[in-house]
Amino acid sequence: MAFINLPAVNASVPPGTNWAWGTDLRNCLGAARDTKDSATLEKMVEDILSGRILDDGEISEELMFNSTLPFQAALKLARGLGNDFAYEICSRADATPEALDEFCEHFDTLITKAIAVHQNTTQETLLKMARSENRYTAIEAIKSGRLPESVIEEF
């Protein structure tokens, strides 16, 4: 397997350029940001997770902010990087109920708040959050206004 150690160059990424993935940091950043083809984006995620493209997080961040990155590829990238991008996953409109449930007890209240108000969060996940030992997670679930009155009365 060939590893590409990307040389650090001026990482400014002007739009509208034809980028060459895997050549240098500038090109990888541009390709991660501007690529629209789902299969190509999924391959980019694989290249990063396999170590074929060495990344300190800059390239991954551009991929995560690329609105055409398929959700499952974004989730795989987030999991592969130790859930550094949990907020980006949970704030996507196409976040799955399973992914939202996976992160619902995250220590970061910004993430739990995003989950509590997300349209794809199930009642089961909200109940799990409301009964969390982390009081801030419970508060976000209750404040969401999406729990039945009978559940809120328990508190």
Side-chain angles (χ1 to χ4, degrees):
M1 171 174 14
F3 292 94
I4 302 169
N5 191 2
L6 302 174
V9 296
N10 179 355
S12 63
V13 185
T17 305
N18 290 327
W19 304 107
W21 175 254
T23 56
D24 60 30
L25 179 59
R26 183 174 181 269
N27 275 283
C28 284
L29 289 169
R33 185 193 69 199
D34 292 344
T35 299
K36 302 299 179 213
D37 178 66
S38 295
T40 302
L41 288 164
E42 289 171 353
K43 181 177 180 333
M44 290 174 174
V45 167
E46 289 300 324
D47 285 348
I48 289 171
L49 293 177
S50 70
R52 286 189 295 268
I53 297 291
L54 299 179
D55 176 32
D56 65 359
E58 279 186 281
I59 302 168
S60 297
E61 185 173 278
E62 288 293 339
L63 278 170
M64 290 301 289
F65 289 124
N66 183 327
S67 62
T68 56
L69 179 66
F71 179 78
Q72 291 303 322
L75 182 59
K76 186 175 188 176
L77 183 61
R79 286 176 177 156
L81 298 175
N83 296 324
D84 286 346
F85 294 104
Y87 178 77
E88 288 77 10
I89 291 297
C90 296
S91 61
R92 286 179 59 134
D94 59 348
T96 63
E98 296 79 20
L100 295 165
D101 185 71
E102 177 181 336
F103 294 105
C104 78
E105 301 221 31
H106 198 279
F107 65 89
D108 188 332
T109 55
L110 190 60
I111 293 167
T112 56
K113 184 176 196 162
I115 294 168
V117 299
H118 199 288
Q119 65 186 6
N120 295 340
T121 301
T122 64
Q123 284 292 305
E124 292 78 22
T125 298
L126 284 170
L127 286 169
K128 182 176 170 183
M129 291 173 71
R131 294 182 176 127
S132 173
E133 291 183 18
N134 180 331
R135 69 179 181 191
Y136 298 108
T137 299
I139 289 168
E140 291 305 333
I142 294 166
K143 283 180 18 183
S144 74
R146 299 179 57 213
L147 288 168
E149 197 64 36
S150 60
V151 171
I152 294 173
E153 289 172 0
E154 293 176 24
F155 300 96

mmCIF file of all heavy atoms in Angstrom, residues 81-129:
data_model
loop_
_atom_site.group_PDB
_atom_site.id
_atom_site.type_symbol
_atom_site.label_atom_id
_atom_site.label_comp_id
_atom_site.label_asym_id
_atom_site.label_seq_id
_atom_site.Cartn_x
_atom_site.Cartn_y
_atom_site.Cartn_z
ATOM 1 N N LEU A 81 -12.415 8.898 13.284
ATOM 2 C CA LEU A 81 -11.574 9.935 13.874
ATOM 3 C C LEU A 81 -11.925 10.180 15.342
ATOM 4 O O LEU A 81 -11.695 11.258 15.875
ATOM 5 C CB LEU A 81 -11.698 11.237 13.071
ATOM 6 C CG LEU A 81 -11.234 11.135 11.618
ATOM 7 C CD1 LEU A 81 -11.518 12.428 10.875
ATOM 8 C CD2 LEU A 81 -9.755 10.786 11.543
ATOM 9 N N GLY A 82 -12.494 9.183 15.978
ATOM 10 C CA GLY A 82 -12.802 9.307 17.397
ATOM 11 C C GLY A 82 -13.966 10.224 17.696
ATOM 12 O O GLY A 82 -14.028 10.847 18.741
ATOM 13 N N ASN A 83 -14.890 10.310 16.768
ATOM 14 C CA ASN A 83 -16.098 11.125 16.926
ATOM 15 C C ASN A 83 -15.811 12.616 17.074
ATOM 16 O O ASN A 83 -16.585 13.354 17.681
ATOM 17 C CB ASN A 83 -16.959 10.611 18.078
ATOM 18 C CG ASN A 83 -17.469 9.219 17.812
ATOM 19 O OD1 ASN A 83 -17.788 8.881 16.680
ATOM 20 N ND2 ASN A 83 -17.538 8.393 18.841
ATOM 21 N N ASP A 84 -14.700 13.063 16.497
ATOM 22 C CA ASP A 84 -14.374 14.487 16.525
ATOM 23 C C ASP A 84 -15.429 15.337 15.820
ATOM 24 O O ASP A 84 -15.551 16.525 16.092
ATOM 25 C CB ASP A 84 -13.019 14.755 15.862
ATOM 26 C CG ASP A 84 -11.856 14.318 16.731
ATOM 27 O OD1 ASP A 84 -12.065 14.064 17.931
ATOM 28 O OD2 ASP A 84 -10.736 14.228 16.199
ATOM 29 N N PHE A 85 -16.169 14.732 14.930
ATOM 30 C CA PHE A 85 -17.157 15.475 14.151
ATOM 31 C C PHE A 85 -18.587 15.096 14.543
ATOM 32 O O PHE A 85 -19.489 15.136 13.720
ATOM 33 C CB PHE A 85 -16.931 15.243 12.661
ATOM 34 C CG PHE A 85 -15.625 15.804 12.161
ATOM 35 C CD1 PHE A 85 -14.555 14.969 11.902
ATOM 36 C CD2 PHE A 85 -15.472 17.163 11.969
ATOM 37 C CE1 PHE A 85 -13.348 15.479 11.447
ATOM 38 C CE2 PHE A 85 -14.268 17.688 11.520
ATOM 39 C CZ PHE A 85 -13.205 16.842 11.263
ATOM 40 N N ALA A 86 -18.791 14.779 15.808
ATOM 41 C CA ALA A 86 -20.117 14.372 16.268
ATOM 42 C C ALA A 86 -21.157 15.474 16.040
ATOM 43 O O ALA A 86 -22.284 15.189 15.634
ATOM 44 C CB ALA A 86 -20.079 13.973 17.734
ATOM 45 N N TYR A 87 -20.770 16.720 16.278
ATOM 46 C CA TYR A 87 -21.733 17.812 16.069
ATOM 47 C C TYR A 87 -22.128 17.910 14.600
ATOM 48 O O TYR A 87 -23.312 18.075 14.280
ATOM 49 C CB TYR A 87 -21.181 19.156 16.557
ATOM 50 C CG TYR A 87 -22.157 20.275 16.286
ATOM 51 C CD1 TYR A 87 -23.282 20.437 17.090
ATOM 52 C CD2 TYR A 87 -21.990 21.126 15.199
ATOM 53 C CE1 TYR A 87 -24.207 21.439 16.821
ATOM 54 C CE2 TYR A 87 -22.907 22.127 14.934
ATOM 55 C CZ TYR A 87 -24.014 22.274 15.734
ATOM 56 O OH TYR A 87 -24.930 23.252 15.467
ATOM 57 N N GLU A 88 -21.147 17.813 13.719
ATOM 58 C CA GLU A 88 -21.442 17.894 12.284
ATOM 59 C C GLU A 88 -22.384 16.777 11.858
ATOM 60 O O GLU A 88 -23.273 16.979 11.035
ATOM 61 C CB GLU A 88 -20.146 17.861 11.467
ATOM 62 C CG GLU A 88 -19.327 19.125 11.560
ATOM 63 C CD GLU A 88 -18.537 19.287 12.862
ATOM 64 O OE1 GLU A 88 -18.455 18.316 13.649
ATOM 65 O OE2 GLU A 88 -18.015 20.373 13.096
ATOM 66 N N ILE A 89 -22.211 15.600 12.430
ATOM 67 C CA ILE A 89 -23.090 14.463 12.123
ATOM 68 C C ILE A 89 -24.503 14.738 12.634
ATOM 69 O O ILE A 89 -25.487 14.576 11.917
ATOM 70 C CB ILE A 89 -22.530 13.163 12.761
ATOM 71 C CG1 ILE A 89 -21.247 12.728 12.061
ATOM 72 C CG2 ILE A 89 -23.565 12.036 12.753
ATOM 73 C CD1 ILE A 89 -21.393 12.377 10.604
ATOM 74 N N CYS A 90 -24.602 15.147 13.877
ATOM 75 C CA CYS A 90 -25.913 15.306 14.514
ATOM 76 C C CYS A 90 -26.680 16.535 14.055
ATOM 77 O O CYS A 90 -27.883 16.630 14.281
ATOM 78 C CB CYS A 90 -25.745 15.332 16.028
ATOM 79 S SG CYS A 90 -25.094 13.773 16.665
ATOM 80 N N SER A 91 -26.012 17.460 13.416
ATOM 81 C CA SER A 91 -26.715 18.652 12.941
ATOM 82 C C SER A 91 -27.087 18.561 11.462
ATOM 83 O O SER A 91 -27.722 19.466 10.928
ATOM 84 C CB SER A 91 -25.875 19.900 13.205
ATOM 85 O OG SER A 91 -24.642 19.835 12.529
ATOM 86 N N ARG A 92 -26.717 17.457 10.810
ATOM 87 C CA ARG A 92 -27.103 17.282 9.399
ATOM 88 C C ARG A 92 -28.586 16.944 9.302
ATOM 89 O O ARG A 92 -29.112 16.162 10.103
ATOM 90 C CB ARG A 92 -26.290 16.141 8.769
ATOM 91 C CG ARG A 92 -24.854 16.500 8.485
ATOM 92 C CD ARG A 92 -24.110 15.335 7.895
ATOM 93 N NE ARG A 92 -24.708 14.869 6.654
ATOM 94 C CZ ARG A 92 -24.018 14.583 5.552
ATOM 95 N NH1 ARG A 92 -22.708 14.731 5.524
ATOM 96 N NH2 ARG A 92 -24.629 14.146 4.475
ATOM 97 N N ALA A 93 -29.252 17.498 8.325
ATOM 98 C CA ALA A 93 -30.683 17.225 8.135
ATOM 99 C C ALA A 93 -30.935 15.755 7.846
ATOM 100 O O ALA A 93 -31.991 15.221 8.188
ATOM 101 C CB ALA A 93 -31.232 18.085 6.999
ATOM 102 N N ASP A 94 -29.957 15.070 7.232
ATOM 103 C CA ASP A 94 -30.134 13.663 6.877
ATOM 104 C C ASP A 94 -29.582 12.703 7.932
ATOM 105 O O ASP A 94 -29.435 11.510 7.678
ATOM 106 C CB ASP A 94 -29.520 13.360 5.509
ATOM 107 C CG ASP A 94 -28.021 13.651 5.427
ATOM 108 O OD1 ASP A 94 -27.474 14.293 6.350
ATOM 109 O OD2 ASP A 94 -27.391 13.242 4.431
ATOM 110 N N ALA A 95 -29.307 13.199 9.134
ATOM 111 C CA ALA A 95 -28.829 12.322 10.209
ATOM 112 C C ALA A 95 -29.881 11.252 10.486
ATOM 113 O O ALA A 95 -31.070 11.550 10.564
ATOM 114 C CB ALA A 95 -28.547 13.127 11.468
ATOM 115 N N THR A 96 -29.425 10.037 10.627
ATOM 116 C CA THR A 96 -30.361 8.934 10.869
ATOM 117 C C THR A 96 -30.738 8.861 12.345
ATOM 118 O O THR A 96 -29.949 9.277 13.214
ATOM 119 C CB THR A 96 -29.738 7.588 10.453
ATOM 120 O OG1 THR A 96 -28.586 7.348 11.278
ATOM 121 C CG2 THR A 96 -29.348 7.581 8.975
ATOM 122 N N PRO A 97 -31.910 8.340 12.647
ATOM 123 C CA PRO A 97 -32.294 8.162 14.049
ATOM 124 C C PRO A 97 -31.271 7.319 14.823
ATOM 125 O O PRO A 97 -30.998 7.597 15.991
ATOM 126 C CB PRO A 97 -33.648 7.448 13.957
ATOM 127 C CG PRO A 97 -34.205 7.876 12.635
ATOM 128 C CD PRO A 97 -33.011 7.977 11.731
ATOM 129 N N GLU A 98 -30.673 6.337 14.163
ATOM 130 C CA GLU A 98 -29.685 5.468 14.824
ATOM 131 C C GLU A 98 -28.432 6.263 15.202
ATOM 132 O O GLU A 98 -27.885 6.090 16.291
ATOM 133 C CB GLU A 98 -29.317 4.289 13.923
ATOM 134 C CG GLU A 98 -30.460 3.343 13.619
ATOM 135 C CD GLU A 98 -31.426 3.850 12.531
ATOM 136 O OE1 GLU A 98 -31.043 4.740 11.737
ATOM 137 O OE2 GLU A 98 -32.565 3.365 12.490
ATOM 138 N N ALA A 99 -27.983 7.129 14.308
ATOM 139 C CA ALA A 99 -26.796 7.944 14.597
ATOM 140 C C ALA A 99 -27.094 8.937 15.716
ATOM 141 O O ALA A 99 -26.258 9.158 16.608
ATOM 142 C CB ALA A 99 -26.329 8.666 13.351
ATOM 143 N N LEU A 100 -28.262 9.530 15.686
ATOM 144 C CA LEU A 100 -28.637 10.476 16.731
ATOM 145 C C LEU A 100 -28.689 9.773 18.086
ATOM 146 O O LEU A 100 -28.234 10.316 19.097
ATOM 147 C CB LEU A 100 -29.966 11.144 16.392
ATOM 148 C CG LEU A 100 -29.918 12.035 15.143
ATOM 149 C CD1 LEU A 100 -31.323 12.368 14.667
ATOM 150 C CD2 LEU A 100 -29.107 13.288 15.402
ATOM 151 N N ASP A 101 -29.204 8.563 18.096
ATOM 152 C CA ASP A 101 -29.248 7.789 19.334
ATOM 153 C C ASP A 101 -27.832 7.447 19.806
ATOM 154 O O ASP A 101 -27.544 7.480 21.000
ATOM 155 C CB ASP A 101 -30.071 6.509 19.138
ATOM 156 C CG ASP A 101 -30.238 5.755 20.434
ATOM 157 O OD1 ASP A 101 -30.986 6.248 21.310
ATOM 158 O OD2 ASP A 101 -29.608 4.684 20.592
ATOM 159 N N GLU A 102 -26.963 7.129 18.868
ATOM 160 C CA GLU A 102 -25.578 6.769 19.203
ATOM 161 C C GLU A 102 -24.868 7.896 19.966
ATOM 162 O O GLU A 102 -24.078 7.638 20.868
ATOM 163 C CB GLU A 102 -24.816 6.452 17.916
ATOM 164 C CG GLU A 102 -23.359 6.139 18.090
ATOM 165 C CD GLU A 102 -22.655 5.853 16.774
ATOM 166 O OE1 GLU A 102 -23.317 5.462 15.791
ATOM 167 O OE2 GLU A 102 -21.426 6.021 16.742
ATOM 168 N N PHE A 103 -25.151 9.129 19.606
ATOM 169 C CA PHE A 103 -24.462 10.268 20.203
ATOM 170 C C PHE A 103 -25.266 10.980 21.286
ATOM 171 O O PHE A 103 -24.822 11.995 21.818
ATOM 172 C CB PHE A 103 -24.087 11.283 19.115
ATOM 173 C CG PHE A 103 -23.067 10.768 18.144
ATOM 174 C CD1 PHE A 103 -23.440 10.396 16.865
ATOM 175 C CD2 PHE A 103 -21.739 10.648 18.506
ATOM 176 C CE1 PHE A 103 -22.501 9.917 15.958
ATOM 177 C CE2 PHE A 103 -20.787 10.175 17.616
ATOM 178 C CZ PHE A 103 -21.172 9.810 16.337
ATOM 179 N N CYS A 104 -26.436 10.468 21.636
ATOM 180 C CA CYS A 104 -27.344 11.216 22.514
ATOM 181 C C CYS A 104 -26.828 11.416 23.933
ATOM 182 O O CYS A 104 -27.323 12.283 24.640
ATOM 183 C CB CYS A 104 -28.738 10.594 22.521
ATOM 184 S SG CYS A 104 -28.895 9.123 23.520
ATOM 185 N N GLU A 105 -25.848 10.660 24.350
ATOM 186 C CA GLU A 105 -25.299 10.850 25.698
ATOM 187 C C GLU A 105 -23.906 11.452 25.637
ATOM 188 O O GLU A 105 -23.108 11.288 26.556
ATOM 189 C CB GLU A 105 -25.317 9.524 26.447
ATOM 190 C CG GLU A 105 -26.726 8.974 26.556
ATOM 191 C CD GLU A 105 -27.057 8.376 27.890
ATOM 192 O OE1 GLU A 105 -26.509 8.829 28.904
ATOM 193 O OE2 GLU A 105 -27.866 7.456 27.897
ATOM 194 N N HIS A 106 -23.636 12.165 24.572
ATOM 195 C CA HIS A 106 -22.342 12.816 24.397
ATOM 196 C C HIS A 106 -22.153 13.864 25.500
ATOM 197 O O HIS A 106 -23.122 14.464 25.956
ATOM 198 C CB HIS A 106 -22.288 13.483 23.017
ATOM 199 C CG HIS A 106 -20.921 13.807 22.558
ATOM 200 N ND1 HIS A 106 -20.245 14.923 22.981
ATOM 201 C CD2 HIS A 106 -20.083 13.155 21.715
ATOM 202 C CE1 HIS A 106 -19.050 14.959 22.423
ATOM 203 N NE2 HIS A 106 -18.923 13.895 21.644
ATOM 204 N N PHE A 107 -20.925 14.067 25.912
ATOM 205 C CA PHE A 107 -20.648 15.026 26.992
ATOM 206 C C PHE A 107 -20.843 16.484 26.575
ATOM 207 O O PHE A 107 -21.028 17.356 27.410
ATOM 208 C CB PHE A 107 -19.221 14.836 27.529
ATOM 209 C CG PHE A 107 -18.160 15.149 26.495
ATOM 210 C CD1 PHE A 107 -17.660 16.428 26.358
ATOM 211 C CD2 PHE A 107 -17.675 14.146 25.666
ATOM 212 C CE1 PHE A 107 -16.695 16.711 25.402
ATOM 213 C CE2 PHE A 107 -16.708 14.421 24.712
ATOM 214 C CZ PHE A 107 -16.210 15.704 24.582
ATOM 215 N N ASP A 108 -20.825 16.763 25.269
ATOM 216 C CA ASP A 108 -20.933 18.136 24.776
ATOM 217 C C ASP A 108 -22.406 18.535 24.657
ATOM 218 O O ASP A 108 -23.161 17.954 23.891
ATOM 219 C CB ASP A 108 -20.239 18.246 23.418
ATOM 220 C CG ASP A 108 -20.128 19.664 22.904
ATOM 221 O OD1 ASP A 108 -20.984 20.503 23.243
ATOM 222 O OD2 ASP A 108 -19.188 19.923 22.135
ATOM 223 N N THR A 109 -22.800 19.551 25.401
ATOM 224 C CA THR A 109 -24.210 19.952 25.401
ATOM 225 C C THR A 109 -24.645 20.537 24.061
ATOM 226 O O THR A 109 -25.826 20.489 23.732
ATOM 227 C CB THR A 109 -24.506 20.972 26.515
ATOM 228 O OG1 THR A 109 -23.625 22.084 26.395
ATOM 229 C CG2 THR A 109 -24.348 20.345 27.883
ATOM 230 N N LEU A 110 -23.717 21.066 23.290
ATOM 231 C CA LEU A 110 -24.067 21.555 21.954
ATOM 232 C C LEU A 110 -24.578 20.402 21.088
ATOM 233 O O LEU A 110 -25.544 20.544 20.334
ATOM 234 C CB LEU A 110 -22.846 22.219 21.308
ATOM 235 C CG LEU A 110 -23.070 22.993 20.032
ATOM 236 C CD1 LEU A 110 -24.048 24.141 20.251
ATOM 237 C CD2 LEU A 110 -21.748 23.537 19.508
ATOM 238 N N ILE A 111 -23.962 19.246 21.252
ATOM 239 C CA ILE A 111 -24.360 18.062 20.490
ATOM 240 C C ILE A 111 -25.699 17.533 20.993
ATOM 241 O O ILE A 111 -26.603 17.250 20.201
ATOM 242 C CB ILE A 111 -23.263 16.979 20.561
ATOM 243 C CG1 ILE A 111 -22.014 17.484 19.827
ATOM 244 C CG2 ILE A 111 -23.749 15.654 19.982
ATOM 245 C CD1 ILE A 111 -20.771 16.679 20.060
ATOM 246 N N THR A 112 -25.854 17.427 22.301
ATOM 247 C CA THR A 112 -27.125 16.907 22.827
ATOM 248 C C THR A 112 -28.283 17.854 22.526
ATOM 249 O O THR A 112 -29.400 17.414 22.292
ATOM 250 C CB THR A 112 -27.038 16.598 24.334
ATOM 251 O OG1 THR A 112 -26.614 17.762 25.043
ATOM 252 C CG2 THR A 112 -26.080 15.451 24.599
ATOM 253 N N LYS A 113 -27.991 19.145 22.487
ATOM 254 C CA LYS A 113 -29.037 20.112 22.128
ATOM 255 C C LYS A 113 -29.464 19.910 20.675
ATOM 256 O O LYS A 113 -30.653 19.923 20.352
ATOM 257 C CB LYS A 113 -28.535 21.530 22.337
ATOM 258 C CG LYS A 113 -29.562 22.588 22.089
ATOM 259 C CD LYS A 113 -29.032 23.974 22.412
ATOM 260 C CE LYS A 113 -30.175 24.938 22.524
ATOM 261 N NZ LYS A 113 -29.807 26.157 23.225
ATOM 262 N N ALA A 114 -28.485 19.714 19.784
ATOM 263 C CA ALA A 114 -28.796 19.472 18.367
ATOM 264 C C ALA A 114 -29.634 18.206 18.208
ATOM 265 O O ALA A 114 -30.569 18.159 17.409
ATOM 266 C CB ALA A 114 -27.505 19.363 17.552
ATOM 267 N N ILE A 115 -29.325 17.191 18.985
ATOM 268 C CA ILE A 115 -30.068 15.931 18.916
ATOM 269 C C ILE A 115 -31.488 16.123 19.445
ATOM 270 O O ILE A 115 -32.449 15.636 18.847
ATOM 271 C CB ILE A 115 -29.329 14.821 19.694
ATOM 272 C CG1 ILE A 115 -28.004 14.495 18.998
ATOM 273 C CG2 ILE A 115 -30.201 13.571 19.823
ATOM 274 C CD1 ILE A 115 -27.066 13.635 19.819
ATOM 275 N N ALA A 116 -31.614 16.831 20.555
ATOM 276 C CA ALA A 116 -32.934 17.011 21.179
ATOM 277 C C ALA A 116 -33.929 17.690 20.247
ATOM 278 O O ALA A 116 -35.117 17.371 20.272
ATOM 279 C CB ALA A 116 -32.792 17.804 22.475
ATOM 280 N N VAL A 117 -33.458 18.594 19.414
ATOM 281 C CA VAL A 117 -34.380 19.324 18.540
ATOM 282 C C VAL A 117 -34.409 18.778 17.110
ATOM 283 O O VAL A 117 -35.170 19.276 16.282
ATOM 284 C CB VAL A 117 -34.054 20.834 18.509
ATOM 285 C CG1 VAL A 117 -34.179 21.432 19.905
ATOM 286 C CG2 VAL A 117 -32.671 21.098 17.934
ATOM 287 N N HIS A 118 -33.606 17.761 16.834
ATOM 288 C CA HIS A 118 -33.529 17.230 15.462
ATOM 289 C C HIS A 118 -34.822 16.514 15.085
ATOM 290 O O HIS A 118 -35.368 15.741 15.869
ATOM 291 C CB HIS A 118 -32.345 16.270 15.336
ATOM 292 C CG HIS A 118 -31.919 16.036 13.930
ATOM 293 N ND1 HIS A 118 -32.665 15.292 13.043
ATOM 294 C CD2 HIS A 118 -30.832 16.464 13.255
ATOM 295 C CE1 HIS A 118 -32.046 15.268 11.886
ATOM 296 N NE2 HIS A 118 -30.922 15.971 11.985
ATOM 297 N N GLN A 119 -35.291 16.761 13.878
ATOM 298 C CA GLN A 119 -36.544 16.165 13.396
ATOM 299 C C GLN A 119 -36.496 14.646 13.330
ATOM 300 O O GLN A 119 -37.535 13.987 13.385
ATOM 301 C CB GLN A 119 -36.892 16.728 12.017
ATOM 302 C CG GLN A 119 -35.869 16.348 10.940
ATOM 303 C CD GLN A 119 -36.132 17.012 9.613
ATOM 304 O OE1 GLN A 119 -37.015 17.851 9.502
ATOM 305 N NE2 GLN A 119 -35.367 16.645 8.614
ATOM 306 N N ASN A 120 -35.302 14.058 13.201
ATOM 307 C CA ASN A 120 -35.192 12.597 13.079
ATOM 308 C C ASN A 120 -34.940 11.891 14.405
ATOM 309 O O ASN A 120 -34.790 10.670 14.424
ATOM 310 C CB ASN A 120 -34.082 12.242 12.086
ATOM 311 C CG ASN A 120 -34.410 12.697 10.686
ATOM 312 O OD1 ASN A 120 -35.562 12.946 10.353
ATOM 313 N ND2 ASN A 120 -33.396 12.838 9.859
ATOM 314 N N THR A 121 -34.892 12.639 15.489
ATOM 315 C CA THR A 121 -34.697 12.016 16.802
ATOM 316 C C THR A 121 -35.991 11.351 17.233
ATOM 317 O O THR A 121 -37.053 11.970 17.220
ATOM 318 C CB THR A 121 -34.259 13.068 17.844
ATOM 319 O OG1 THR A 121 -33.044 13.673 17.397
ATOM 320 C CG2 THR A 121 -34.050 12.440 19.201
ATOM 321 N N THR A 122 -35.877 10.096 17.617
ATOM 322 C CA THR A 122 -37.068 9.333 18.014
ATOM 323 C C THR A 122 -37.465 9.655 19.457
ATOM 324 O O THR A 122 -36.660 10.170 20.241
ATOM 325 C CB THR A 122 -36.805 7.813 17.914
ATOM 326 O OG1 THR A 122 -35.779 7.471 18.859
ATOM 327 C CG2 THR A 122 -36.383 7.409 16.503
ATOM 328 N N GLN A 123 -38.693 9.321 19.786
ATOM 329 C CA GLN A 123 -39.170 9.481 21.157
ATOM 330 C C GLN A 123 -38.337 8.626 22.113
ATOM 331 O O GLN A 123 -38.054 9.044 23.237
ATOM 332 C CB GLN A 123 -40.654 9.084 21.259
ATOM 333 C CG GLN A 123 -41.592 10.124 20.701
ATOM 334 C CD GLN A 123 -41.600 11.387 21.538
ATOM 335 O OE1 GLN A 123 -41.832 11.369 22.744
ATOM 336 N NE2 GLN A 123 -41.316 12.501 20.895
ATOM 337 N N GLU A 124 -37.923 7.442 21.669
ATOM 338 C CA GLU A 124 -37.109 6.565 22.513
ATOM 339 C C GLU A 124 -35.785 7.239 22.863
ATOM 340 O O GLU A 124 -35.318 7.164 24.008
ATOM 341 C CB GLU A 124 -36.856 5.223 21.818
ATOM 342 C CG GLU A 124 -38.087 4.351 21.665
ATOM 343 C CD GLU A 124 -39.004 4.781 20.509
ATOM 344 O OE1 GLU A 124 -38.537 5.458 19.571
ATOM 345 O OE2 GLU A 124 -40.197 4.455 20.571
ATOM 346 N N THR A 125 -35.182 7.910 21.889
ATOM 347 C CA THR A 125 -33.919 8.614 22.149
ATOM 348 C C THR A 125 -34.151 9.775 23.100
ATOM 349 O O THR A 125 -33.360 9.995 24.024
ATOM 350 C CB THR A 125 -33.284 9.091 20.829
ATOM 351 O OG1 THR A 125 -32.977 7.946 20.029
ATOM 352 C CG2 THR A 125 -32.011 9.879 21.076
ATOM 353 N N LEU A 126 -35.226 10.520 22.899
ATOM 354 C CA LEU A 126 -35.524 11.633 23.801
ATOM 355 C C LEU A 126 -35.771 11.132 25.232
ATOM 356 O O LEU A 126 -35.325 11.758 26.196
ATOM 357 C CB LEU A 126 -36.732 12.420 23.296
ATOM 358 C CG LEU A 126 -36.459 13.344 22.117
ATOM 359 C CD1 LEU A 126 -37.759 13.884 21.545
ATOM 360 C CD2 LEU A 126 -35.525 14.480 22.514
ATOM 361 N N LEU A 127 -36.456 10.009 25.364
ATOM 362 C CA LEU A 127 -36.681 9.432 26.698
ATOM 363 C C LEU A 127 -35.359 9.018 27.333
ATOM 364 O O LEU A 127 -35.134 9.234 28.530
ATOM 365 C CB LEU A 127 -37.632 8.238 26.608
ATOM 366 C CG LEU A 127 -39.099 8.568 26.367
ATOM 367 C CD1 LEU A 127 -39.890 7.309 26.043
ATOM 368 C CD2 LEU A 127 -39.681 9.283 27.580
ATOM 369 N N LYS A 128 -34.498 8.412 26.547
ATOM 370 C CA LYS A 128 -33.171 8.008 27.022
ATOM 371 C C LYS A 128 -32.399 9.239 27.505
ATOM 372 O O LYS A 128 -31.758 9.210 28.563
ATOM 373 C CB LYS A 128 -32.440 7.308 25.876
ATOM 374 C CG LYS A 128 -31.088 6.773 26.181
ATOM 375 C CD LYS A 128 -30.605 6.047 24.919
ATOM 376 C CE LYS A 128 -29.178 5.650 24.944
ATOM 377 N NZ LYS A 128 -28.765 5.010 23.677
ATOM 378 N N MET A 129 -32.485 10.319 26.741
ATOM 379 C CA MET A 129 -31.805 11.555 27.121
ATOM 380 C C MET A 129 -32.407 12.135 28.404
ATOM 381 O O MET A 129 -31.684 12.585 29.292
ATOM 382 C CB MET A 129 -31.897 12.576 25.991
ATOM 383 C CG MET A 129 -31.092 12.209 24.770
ATOM 384 S SD MET A 129 -31.370 13.340 23.380
ATOM 385 C CE MET A 129 -30.545 14.825 23.988
#
